[in-house]
Amino acid sequence: MSDSKRKFQGDDNKRKKKYRSDGTPVWGKRHVEGPGVWVSCAYTIEYISQRSYTTPGVKGKEKQTVGEIYELFESIASELWPLDNSDSETEAGLSLEDQIASELIKGTAVIFISCKPPVDPVELVVKYIQSVQESGITRTRYVHRLVPVSGSCVANLPEIQSLCRKVFKDFFDKHPDTSFKFKIELRVRNHTTIPRPVLIQSVAQCVPEGHSVDLQDPQIFLLVEVFKSICGVSVVEDYYQLHKFNVTEIAKRNDQPQEESRISSSAGKPVEPANKALMESNE
């Protein structure tokens, strides 16, 4: 690429940058789109040398996680949202692999799985976690924790509040005659722009009237995940009973390592991976 072309692209990017009346920037298209599921995966420690004084290097299992999570989500989604053969040829021809896209957040051990309708990320994750609790079989080797998000946005207050109002309204509209006790579950990683107290207060302001805060015995949990410049929001029930969707913790409570439980599942019921080529390349 020539220097003149680089200069042109740089100038073009500056021209596209816009600001609101309050001075906050209007962000362009983000590389993470919601709704979807944040998937944190395990790290393994690998030594560069056999010598004891060598500093260990950290290697993530992101690629392996992508393969197994495709397989898992396709299996669950095919049960919850079977494809309707009466749809048009274009719609019927879409496999769940086509409907679920993944993106690796470079330099981290976090993967984002983008879910398209009719897949609901909250229902998808809850279904999986409940099955792990009941059977003791994780069906995954590298997945650590799952975080469903009903929507995502750039992590600044105007976008976060706009997203919260939409996600909360969608949930509460399904229960028009119920007054809920709620708790905000905020998790912030690699983000220092918005102070935590300010963020919690801003989220609370988006809850419709008629519902109250209860930190001891909430009925619902407002999950707010801020990771770098991205924020994800969802509303879930039984969050603590489901061990905060921590697959590793549930496996430990069942006294069964994830690797063994996955092998047991494969032996009992073989499942064709949704991303077969990727799976084969990592085995």
Side-chain angles (χ1 to χ4, degrees), residues 56-84:
V58 180
K59 182 178 181 180
K61 294 294 182 181
E62 295 92 343
K63 291 184 179 180
Q64 293 91 329
T65 305
V66 170
E68 68 180 15
I69 208 69
Y70 263 134
E71 176 184 344
L72 172 65
F73 281 179
E74 181 180 56
S75 175
I76 298 175
S78 63
E79 298 177 8
L80 296 176
W81 302 280
L83 294 178
D84 187 353

Side-chain angles (χ1 to χ4, degrees), residues 202-264:
S202 299
V203 172
Q205 292 172 351
C206 300
V207 179
E209 294 184 0
H211 309 283
S212 59
V213 176
D214 190 328
L215 304 182
Q216 301 301 321
D217 188 27
Q219 296 169 288
I220 59 173
F221 296 82
L222 312 181
L223 301 189
V224 181
E225 292 271 333
V226 179
F227 179 67
K228 293 188 174 180
S229 62
I230 302 296
C231 176
V233 178
S234 62
V235 182
V236 303
E237 302 176 71
D238 303 322
Y239 185 57
Y240 290 163
Q241 289 88 334
L242 297 175
H243 302 287
K244 301 183 179 181
F245 307 140
N246 190 317
V247 180
T248 303
E249 179 65 24
I250 297 174
K252 289 180 180 179
R253 288 177 178 268
N254 290 329
D255 295 324
Q256 188 174 26
Q258 290 198 74
E259 183 173 352
E260 292 181 8
S261 61
R262 186 176 186 273
I263 293 174
S264 300

Side-chain angles (χ1 to χ4, degrees), residues 167-185:
V167 172
F168 298 165
K169 184 178 185 301
D170 290 343
F171 176 84
F172 291 122
D173 283 353
K174 296 177 183 178
H175 312 275
D177 301 321
T178 304
S179 179
F180 286 97
K181 295 182 293 182
F182 69 89
K183 180 180 180 180
I184 298 174
E185 282 283 330

